Amino acid sequence: MFDAGSPPAWLQALNAEQGAAATHRGGPLLILAGAGTGKTTTLCSRVAWLLSEGVTAERILLLTFTRRAAREMIQRARALAERAAPNAGRVVGGTFHSVAHRMVRLHASSLGLAPGFGVIDAGDAADLLDLVRGERGHAAAGRRFPRAQTMLDIYSRTVNAQTPLADVLAESFPWCEEHRDALAETFRSYVERKRELGVLDLDDLLLYWRALAGDEVIGPRLANMFEHVLVDEYQDVNGLQVDILRSLRADRRDITVVGDDFQAIYGFRSASARHILDFPNVFPDAAVVKLERNYRSTSPVLAVANAVSEQDRLGYPKRLWTDREGGPLPELVFPRDESDQARDVCDRVLAAREESMELRSQAVLFRAGHDSDLLELELTRRGIPFVKYGGLRYLEAAHVKDLIAVLRLATNPADEVSWFRLLQLLEGVGPVRARRILDSLRASGGGSPELGRWAEAAVHVPAGSLEHATGVIGALAESGGEATAGARIEQLCEMLTPLIRARYPDWAARVADYEQLIAAARGAEDIRHFVSELVLDPPSSSADLAGPPHLDEDFLVLSTVHSAKGLEWDAVHLIAAYDGNFPADMNTSSDESIAEERRLFYVALTRPRRRLHVYVPFRYYHRPHGRDDGHGYGKASRFLTEEVKRLFDVKHAPVTDGPALDPGRPARRIEVSVDALFG
């Protein structure tokens, strides 16, 4: 236990390392928190300790990667410090993007931005890039040119990693190198178009915040706003975010970061484990505290995780330990194929349920969303309810983006991207006709689209869609009077519903999602603020808006490993753990790519509290839903070395065809003879 005089009970509950981190006095601090070692408890305790030491809450900045994490940490910290600092005030907390949005709003005029600038999410950014791509003639060039989503990935990685375009293309998009000059010109046009529309994308928010933090006049003011800066999940930061932190702490040295280099798995978002490894260089004389005592898993599970982590030679050495001795050995299962894998998972899930382990206390994890296709069919056949995470995000659903487009037009009728989306909802309107209508909405001298010109533009709208379209346009043209933001959003939803009903076969479920959005909007300040909040911290699904399920609901969790980070269950089933999936065959081009794949595997292994099951199918089909039998034979992930395998209880399915995955097993001997044919 931590012991320093007579500390409060919550501080005494920390172990020695946690206590040292929570009560660190002055200077940079790096807390290396292994999986399940009480990272959140330690960070909350540090915030509470700062409050109890008399630091004003408004002078503490807590940066996280989800708004929910910030809210939960701040609430926990306030609860811990309530006796010592009952009127501490409110800690400034949020995601990097939400805090950036706040700072940029405060200093919009200094940045040359209109006070009412809009914020677009990744989907809208891709749509805008697609418009620019088409205008520059790349769509009809007669030669393959990167699609909008690929272009956005290239652009975002270049900006966030602060790496030249040529280097990004060479390292991650070599098939696009021949288009480097064209891409550069397209990106410049994209930036100019955003300025014309008065919108910022998510990358812009960080760019503008960095510009403010680095300014010789405004920068020191921003830095002096906060005595202490704390950053959660530091292994997930990118180069742009590191630059911001360096500027914020150029003179003040009080910064605390918490993370685990062996859980750095978001390279595709320009995050890099290198930043947490370089923290002592960026912030000299930093104190380093390691948290290695695991409070989540049993010893046999940690033994597997440690054996995998020891394969890495570049990170901070850490070895997780626990006083939770005993527990079953993890299982390494070799089913014959993916169908057998699905049946094995269902059998084990139901068996655990009969042992009083609820379905929601169990999870199936996988590398990519399609890995669970056959399993979902088997779960449905057996009547096992499940919920899946890691696929389409809520704001990426078409009907939600349709509503967001309408809400944007309600505050900015000149938003071309939103017009383009709304118009294509109409029956018989494609990109060409949408462009024609959009041109008709402009004044004769060009300029931005105007709602007041709808009567002229409506001649291009098919008759069957005209009534519904006019209803939506009429609702947009109304000022809303004294209506609250929630009432205004409800009105726009009602006008949009007929278009949704005509457009989507499953319109009823989609309209039900709108009801959740309306409920969430009732406390919004205004429509623009509500849209910005959705973009900056989007819910994963409508369930995030609806709140927790009822007590009598139970369901199995299916999730990609990326989406499972930070979560835990009593039992975890990791499927499709064969080489080519772990690591993914597209991520084996460099040592760093393989290292990140190993870290992803490690994250999966450290999710269970009690039971771990890893599945490696002998055989996988190239086209699981095809009519042919095209398949291949794989081998266990290269991360499942012989040393790691010895830590498992290995289960082999009877092999009737194909080579054995484990070379240690004797091959089946089959006699072939034609002697009987010759008498």
Side-chain angles (χ1 to χ4, degrees):
M1 293 295 188
F2 177 77
D3 186 13
S6 300
W10 55 267
L11 204 53
Q12 292 187 53
L14 304 179
N15 64 38
E17 292 75 21
Q18 291 172 332
T23 59
H24 173 73
R25 291 186 179 275
L29 171 64
L30 169 60
I31 305 174
L32 290 170
T37 57
K39 167 184 72 70
T40 301
T41 296
T42 304
L43 190 57
C44 291
S45 298
R46 176 143 183 78
V47 174
W49 183 78
L50 290 172
L51 293 173
S52 67
E53 287 288 298
V55 179
T56 306
E58 292 80 3
R59 303 269 286 160
I60 299 174
L61 174 62
L62 174 61
L63 293 168
T64 64
F65 280 84
T66 67
R67 188 74 61 87
R68 176 179 293 177
R71 285 195 300 265
E72 290 177 353
M73 287 186 184
I74 291 171
Q75 289 171 358
R76 286 180 61 178
R78 286 178 61 85
L80 291 175
E82 190 172 14
R83 292 182 181 178
N87 300 308
R90 184 171 183 174
V91 173
V92 179
T95 65
F96 272 92
H97 289 103
S98 65
V99 175
H101 181 248
R102 198 178 316 169
M103 298 300 175
V104 174
R105 287 276 183 209
L106 287 173
H107 300 278
S109 59
S110 298
L111 293 165
L113 298 171
F117 68 84
V119 180
I120 59 176
D121 65 6
D124 294 320
D127 289 343
L128 184 54
L129 262 173
D130 208 16
L131 280 173
V132 174
R133 177 179 181 269
E135 290 171 357
R136 298 190 64 83
H138 298 311
R143 185 176 179 81
R144 188 181 73 152
F145 194 80
R147 300 293 298 271
Q149 187 57 56
T150 302
M151 291 172 61
L152 182 62
D153 290 343
I154 296 170
Y155 173 84
S156 187
R157 188 167 300 194
T158 301
V159 171
N160 283 290
Q162 291 293 282
T163 303
L165 175 61
D167 294 346
V168 170
L169 292 176
E171 180 179 350
S172 303
F173 304 90
W175 62 92
C176 300
E177 284 190 278
E178 64 176 295
H179 301 296
R180 186 180 69 181
D181 293 340
L183 285 169
E185 286 298 322
T186 302
F187 293 152
R188 282 191 280 269
S189 297
Y190 167 66
V191 171
E192 183 60 33
R193 181 60 65 84
K194 285 187 294 182
R195 289 198 189 101
E196 293 172 0
L197 296 175
V199 297
L200 303 182
D201 62 24
L202 297 177
D203 300 328
D204 290 331
L205 292 175
L206 297 182
L207 278 172
Y208 279 92
W209 188 14
R210 185 183 67 168
L212 290 171
D215 183 76
E216 61 182 11
V217 176
I218 296 178
R221 295 179 191 169
L222 294 183
N224 289 329
M225 288 173 64
F226 306 108
E227 287 186 41
H228 291 267
V229 176
L230 302 96
V231 186
D232 188 26
E233 305 286 9
Y234 191 76
Q235 76 279 349
D236 295 335
V237 298
N238 58 44
L240 200 50
Q241 291 161 334
V242 172
D243 286 348
I244 292 169
L245 293 172
R246 186 189 287 115
S247 295
L248 287 178
R249 298 292 88 179
D251 297 319
R252 291 182 172 273
R253 291 171 43 78
D254 293 309
I255 180 171
T256 298
V257 303
V258 183
D260 180 5
D261 55 297
F262 218 77
Q263 295 188 69
I265 59 174
Y266 294 114
F268 61 91
R269 296 180 186 168
S270 303
S272 172
R274 178 51 53 191
H275 296 309
I276 193 170
L277 297 177
D278 286 345
F279 182 83
N281 298 325
V282 176
F283 297 95
D285 303 322
V288 179
V289 176
K290 288 185 183 180
L291 305 183
E292 297 176 296
R293 181 178 179 181
N294 182 281
Y295 293 92
R296 174 186 298 157
S297 306
T298 60
S299 291
V301 171
L302 292 183
V304 171
N306 285 329
V308 171
S309 69
E310 288 168 3
Q311 297 171 18
D312 182 79
R313 295 291 180 264
L314 298 177
Y316 293 104
K318 293 182 292 295
R319 187 168 184 84
L320 301 179
W321 64 275
T322 182
D323 54 11
R324 293 182 60 195
E325 299 296 334
L329 285 177
E331 285 189 338
L332 180 58
V333 185
F334 289 90
R336 187 165 58 174
D337 56 24
E338 289 170 300
S339 294
D340 276 2
Q341 173 182 259
R343 287 188 285 271
D344 286 350
V345 170
C346 290
D347 288 344
R348 286 176 168 81
V349 165
L350 291 175
R353 181 173 178 271
E354 291 303 312
E355 297 171 6
S356 300
M357 185 184 291
E358 293 182 318
L359 293 177
R360 77 183 72 185
S361 297
Q362 306 179 60
V364 181
L365 306 184
F366 33 83
R367 177 67 178 78
H370 59 77
D371 289 334
S372 66
D373 287 353
L374 291 178
L375 175 61
E376 291 174 44
L377 293 175
E378 184 68 13
L379 290 169
T380 302
R381 188 182 72 80
R382 296 209 195 185
I384 303 174
F386 64 89
V387 60
K388 184 175 181 180
Y389 298 107
L392 187 69
R393 289 185 65 82
Y394 186 58
L395 286 194
E396 293 171 1
H399 63 293
V400 178
K401 293 189 69 63
D402 296 335
L403 177 59
I404 296 298
V406 170
L407 297 183
R408 284 205 170 102
L409 287 173
T411 58
N412 180 17
D415 188 335
E416 289 187 37
V417 177
S418 294
W419 271 114
F420 206 63
R421 182 170 195 93
L422 174 61
L423 292 172
Q424 291 185 80
L425 264 180
L426 306 177
E427 181 68 31
V429 177
V432 174
R433 182 169 281 183
R435 172 58 62 188
R436 192 179 305 143
I437 299 171
L438 199 53
D439 290 341
S440 299
L441 288 168
R442 305 179 195 278
S444 56
S448 302
E450 300 174 9
L451 282 168
R453 301 181 62 83
W454 174 250
E456 300 172 39
V459 298
H460 300 294
V461 179
S465 300
L466 185 58
E467 181 181 351
H468 293 158
T470 301
V472 175
I473 301 303
L476 288 171
E478 294 178 12
S479 65
E482 299 297 321
T484 63
R488 183 84 168 108
I489 291 172
E490 184 172 6
Q491 176 197 18
L492 293 171
C493 283
E494 289 176 355
M495 299 309 300
L496 183 60
T497 294
L499 286 176
I500 299 301
R501 184 184 291 114
R503 176 79 175 189
Y504 302 106
D506 56 345
W507 63 269
R510 295 175 186 264
V511 171
D513 277 351
Y514 286 173
E515 294 173 2
Q516 301 293 347
L517 276 169
I518 291 170
R522 285 184 181 134
E525 298 175 15
D526 54 56
I527 293 178
R528 190 189 301 275
H529 180 78
F530 177 69
V531 172
S532 295
E533 290 292 300
L534 280 178
V535 171
L536 293 170
D537 190 28
S540 296
S541 67
S542 58
D544 279 7
L545 297 170
H550 298 299
L551 292 177
D552 59 346
E553 293 179 350
D554 197 15
F555 45 79
L556 180 68
V557 176
L558 309 186
S559 175
T560 62
V561 180
H562 282 102
S563 295
K565 183 170 167 288
L567 303 177
E568 60 184 63
W569 296 271
D570 284 342
V572 167
H573 303 260
L574 177 60
I575 63 174
Y578 53 81
D579 222 60
N581 206 33
F582 281 105
D585 52 9
M586 294 293 288
N587 287 343
T588 56
S589 58
S590 68
D591 290 343
E592 174 52 34
S593 296
I594 295 174
E596 179 163 323
E597 290 289 313
R598 184 189 297 113
R599 296 193 292 266
L600 186 66
F601 194 65
Y602 171 86
V603 166
L605 299 178
T606 53
R607 298 309 95 196
R609 290 187 284 261
R610 295 162 52 192
R611 300 180 186 177
L612 171 65
H613 310 272
V614 179
Y615 300 81
V616 185
F618 287 157
R619 176 172 57 193
Y620 59 92
Y621 289 90
H622 303 310
R623 291 169 291 278
H625 303 294
R627 296 184 178 182
D628 60 11
D629 190 41
H631 62 271
Y633 292 96
K635 62 178 182 179
S637 167
R638 67 191 68 182
F639 309 136
L640 290 169
T641 62
E642 291 304 316
E643 178 184 1
V644 175
K645 286 180 183 178
R646 284 195 288 270
L647 300 172
F648 282 93
D649 179 10
V650 180
K651 306 285 188 181
H652 287 280
V655 180
T656 57
D657 57 357
L661 280 176
D662 187 345
R665 297 187 73 202
R668 180 180 176 86
R669 183 176 179 85
I670 302 175
E671 297 290 344
V672 179
S673 174
V674 295
D675 291 350
L677 296 175
F678 307 115

